[in-house]
Amino acid sequence: SAVISQKPSRDICQRGTSLTIQCQVDSQVTMMFWYRQQPGQSLTLIATANQGSEATYESGFVIDKFPISRPNLTFSTLTVSNMSPEDSSIYLCSVDVRGTGNSYEQYFGPGTRLTVT
Amino acid sequence: GESVGLHLPTLSVQEGDNSIINCAYSNSASDYFIWYKQESGKGPQFIIDIRSNMDKRQGQRVTVLLNKTVKHLSLQIAATQPGDSAVYFCAENVYGNKLVFGAGTILRVKS
């Protein structure tokens, strides 16, 4: 498994501002992922962040709105830019860890609860 | 604090009974499936996984069944305990270790 921490754990922000969320892992991992979980809903993948390359964004998410950094194998940041109330969500990072056989198990951080007013 | 499961279907079971949580997945090419448990204020916790070349896998008090014919996945929890109360999500690996999550089910255990 992997121990994943996120900062901040929660924040209340004003519309039009930006917030950068940090994700730290206790071991080196190749792939890190950022998800969004809107209130009362399931998780949606925002992007995949690999060290040394540009993040790959899923449909409906763009780099200008959610810039991502991946400076090394244990750390990543997600910025939520020019926030609006619709960005109020829990933002989660996750990592792949090799499990039994050839499987990869994906573990999640505790999440960052963002409220935009 | 706010619950992440406010709008999700709910399964209520009596403590000690068995629970069965169901999930329909969308992509017949998915080769790997995972069940997660999410407690209030926490990130999803890995429970058990199953590859597409299997139809059943057992863990401690949990069993996952996979029916590829109808694209259906279920999680069985034996002797459900109050600590099992949470939101449960299935997820499918569509490609490149990217997970697509199901809608989620709230499990409430009555003592």
Side-chain angles (χ1 to χ4, degrees), chain A residues 31 33 35 37 39-43 45 48 56 58 90 92 96 100 102-111 113, chain B residues 2-8 32 36 38 41-44 46 49 51 57 89 95-99 101-103:
Chain A
M31 301 181 77
F33 305 88
Y35 288 81
Q37 186 174 27
Q41 297 189 29
S42 187
L43 285 78
L45 180 63
T48 303
T56 303
E58 297 301 306
I90 300 171
L92 299 127
D96 275 345
T100 57
N102 290 323
S103 72
Y104 277 88
E105 299 174 357
Q106 196 165 120
Y107 291 90
F108 284 81
R113 187 181 296 271
Chain B
E2 181 182 0
S3 166
V4 299
L6 284 176
H7 309 296
L8 303 176
Y32 180 56
Y36 287 94
Q38 187 175 29
K42 298 182 179 180
F46 179 99
D49 60 357
R51 301 202 72 84
R57 190 168 186 215
F89 294 99
Y95 64 96
N97 290 359
K98 299 181 183 181
L99 297 180
F101 279 76

Side-chain angles (χ1 to χ4, degrees), chain B residues 24-108:
Chain B
Y25 63 92
S26 57
N27 194 324
S28 56
S30 296
D31 63 352
Y32 180 56
F33 305 87
I34 308 174
W35 278 101
Y36 287 94
K37 172 187 180 183
Q38 187 175 29
E39 296 174 284
S40 182
K42 298 182 179 180
Q45 175 189 353
F46 179 99
I47 300 174
I48 191 168
D49 60 357
I50 188 169
R51 301 202 72 84
S52 59
N53 60 355
M54 304 170 68
D55 52 22
K56 180 180 180 179
R57 190 168 186 215
Q58 288 185 291
Q60 189 175 17
R61 272 200 317 120
V62 295
T63 301
V64 55
L65 299 178
L66 174 63
N67 185 331
K68 294 182 287 294
T69 302
V70 295
K71 292 190 285 188
H72 183 268
L73 198 64
S74 69
L75 177 71
Q76 300 178 3
I77 304 174
T80 313
Q81 303 168 358
D84 294 327
S85 294
V87 180
Y88 288 80
F89 294 99
C90 67
E92 58 182 309
N93 176 41
V94 178
Y95 64 96
N97 290 359
K98 299 181 183 181
L99 297 180
V100 174
F101 279 76
T105 298
I106 301 171
L107 177 64
R108 289 207 173 104

